[in-house]
Amino acid sequence: MGTSLTRRVFLLGSAGLAAGCAAPGSASGGPVTVEMWHGQEDTALDVLKGLAADFERTHPGIRIDLGGGVLADAMLQKITAALASGSYPDIAYVFGSDLASVARSPQAAEMTEVVDNGPDFWPAAREAVTINGRIRAVPALLDSLAVVCNKALFAQAGLPLPADDWRWPDFVAAAAKLTDASAGRFGTAWPGVGDEDTVWRLWPMVWDLGGEIIAKDGKHIGFAGDTGVRALEVVRDLAAAKSVYIDPKSGSDQMYQAFQSGAIGMVPTGPWKLPDIVDAGIDYHVVPLPTFTGRPVTISGPDTWTVFDNGTERVQAARTFLSWLTAPEQDVRWDTGAGSLPLSHGAQALPEWQKATEETEGLSVFVTALDSARVKPVHPAYPQISQAVGVAIVSVLLGQASPADALRDCAKVADAALLIPR
């Protein structure tokens, strides 16, 4: 799900380090250098560079090195190799879905003090960095999923814009009415590669229906019955009506380009796409995800700043930087500059964020959705579960399997992954 997020200030350790105080230098007398594999590019990286420079001015005992690493999509492979070689960074940007695998390393430092002494992180952000009751990273990104509608296409189809309490059958019906094959227009879109971008859009349906990704016994998926079938039936119905554009390439760029060119009526997406939609000149409307039950639910895909142990000085310096970085005053700079949601109620309340929501149509819908947001389980078998679900969704999208058959095959693979000792 990946795209953006950020920071905070509070006491660390028994002595503590306030935001305005300089952290001690290294034992040799010089500054402690924190190597950070940031995972960012373009605008987000520029914002992070500015924040790091400001931190160094107020903390002369710590230097932040942003020179290494790779983009976030390749971070897991890079970190895995680095840990195996014994040469790893102090901080890395790790996707939330990869944290369970990375945190198994004894080099991954615990971050309980940083998060507990930090701001009032949204529950989804805390949950995403907690494994077996221990906080293993610091929240770095926070988003949510909602539906962005093209107002002009709704008007052209004679459809009222969706209300906040709409249901999935309403979504399917609207998609059919918005579709015009002769004009090359689709009602909605869905990634069709089978990757995590394909999968995470299904989980709010599963949760809404009372299912779980992993059952309480930890040995089976928690959506193998009617829950999973009903969710996949939405996908089937969209495909059967030929009202869904299936993006054949990873990254979902084609479906977003089609939406921005006026060829798609509505698309479930996150707040990171709003700047592109605004730039494309689309007159749009944002509504929460539909539900089956009337209970609001969405998904958040928090990513993390994970710290690795290169000695006490560097771990303490990394914690100091992340405490400062995730403080509301810094967080709101990242949010407004790099297109993310605030990590905490404190950042949300700041005038800078309130101004951003006033200036950007629909942004407040994504923030409000955080009240009902859930996250994927931080479990080492999740990548295998996701892969199996991705195959199931694509097979239903392409009409190659019924929801029940696709789910049965998915359960065999996913349950087997859960039984592998880790």
Side-chain angles (χ1 to χ4, degrees):
M1 210 155 141
T3 344
S4 42
L5 243 334
T6 42
R7 3 292 126 169
R8 239 125 278 168
V9 177
F10 284 81
L11 299 183
L12 278 181
S14 57
L17 287 169
C21 301
S26 68
S28 62
V32 177
T33 296
V34 173
E35 183 180 2
M36 186 176 194
W37 291 2
H38 52 77
Q40 309 299 312
E41 60 180 333
D42 303 332
T43 302
L45 179 54
D46 288 341
V47 175
L48 186 58
K49 285 179 177 178
L51 286 162
D54 287 349
F55 173 81
E56 290 177 345
R57 279 192 286 272
T58 56
H59 298 74
I62 301 175
R63 177 177 173 270
I64 306 300
D65 179 2
L66 297 174
V70 292
L71 293 181
D73 288 343
M75 189 65 73
L76 178 60
Q77 181 179 359
K78 178 79 170 179
I79 284 294
T80 301
L83 290 170
S85 70
S87 180
Y88 41 84
D90 300 293
I91 303 172
Y93 185 90
V94 175
F95 286 153
S97 54
D98 294 332
L99 179 62
S101 297
V102 173
R104 285 184 293 172
S105 168
Q107 281 74 42
E110 189 162 328
M111 292 288 110
T112 300
E113 270 191 294
V114 175
V115 174
D116 281 352
N117 292 332
D120 49 345
F121 290 104
W122 293 95
R126 287 186 64 97
E127 184 180 348
V129 296
T130 304
I131 304 175
N132 297 326
R134 297 170 60 199
I135 297 176
R136 305 307 309 277
V138 178
L141 170 149
L142 192 61
D143 54 23
S144 64
L145 200 62
V147 179
V148 182
C149 305
N150 183 316
K151 287 184 178 181
L153 294 186
F154 269 79
Q156 187 175 329
L159 283 173
L161 290 169
D164 288 357
D165 61 350
W166 63 329
R167 306 296 177 95
W168 281 109
D170 300 328
F171 181 91
V172 172
K177 291 180 180 178
L178 288 163
T179 298
D180 184 344
S182 64
R185 188 169 68 240
F186 293 86
T188 189
W190 200 295
V193 179
D195 57 6
E196 181 61 21
D197 199 21
T198 303
V199 171
W200 72 294
R201 299 156 192 272
L202 195 77
W203 297 136
M205 298 186 206
V206 168
W207 292 326
D208 183 24
L209 291 166
E212 296 292 340
I213 297 175
I214 299 175
K216 288 183 179 180
D217 65 7
K219 299 178 181 179
H220 305 87
I221 58 173
F223 56 97
D226 183 61
T227 300
V229 170
R230 287 184 64 189
L232 284 173
E233 283 175 348
V234 172
V235 178
R236 178 204 61 193
D237 292 347
L238 291 170
K242 295 182 169 45
S243 60
V244 57
Y245 173 79
I246 303 170
D247 194 330
K249 294 186 177 180
S250 60
S252 305
D253 287 342
Q254 289 191 3
M255 76 178 206
Y256 288 132
Q257 288 170 5
F259 180 82
Q260 289 156 210
S261 68
I264 293 176
M266 53 185 179
V267 62
T269 189
W272 63 86
K273 290 309 300 180
L274 292 185
D276 293 336
I277 293 169
V278 170
D279 288 345
I282 298 294
D283 187 14
Y284 68 92
H285 176 67
V286 182
V287 287
L289 288 179
T291 69
F292 292 103
T293 65
R295 296 188 303 267
V297 62
T298 188
I299 184 168
S300 181
D303 294 328
T304 76
W305 296 119
T306 303
V307 174
F308 300 95
D309 190 349
N310 281 302
T312 302
E313 287 183 343
R314 288 170 66 173
V315 169
Q316 181 172 334
R319 286 172 172 158
T320 300
F321 176 57
L322 293 178
S323 293
W324 179 90
L325 190 60
T326 51
E329 294 78 8
Q330 282 71 250
D331 184 21
V332 75
R333 289 173 57 188
W334 175 270
D335 303 336
T336 56
S340 301
L341 298 182
L343 288 176
S344 69
H345 292 281
Q348 179 194 8
L350 291 178
E352 296 91 334
W353 180 257
Q354 294 302 312
K355 180 181 178 183
T357 59
E358 291 171 4
E359 294 176 346
T360 305
E361 169 71 26
L363 187 56
S364 61
V365 176
F366 290 101
V367 179
T368 300
L370 291 174
D371 287 324
S372 65
R374 295 189 58 183
V375 299
K376 298 167 288 188
V378 187
H379 192 287
Y382 180 79
Q384 288 74 41
I385 296 172
S386 174
Q387 185 175 24
V389 175
V391 171
I393 292 172
V394 172
S395 66
V396 173
L397 276 172
L398 298 180
Q400 297 171 342
S402 69
D405 289 344
L407 188 60
R408 184 185 62 249
D409 293 342
C410 166
K412 290 178 183 177
V413 176
D415 286 349
L418 283 165
L419 294 177
I420 297 173
R422 300 176 189 276

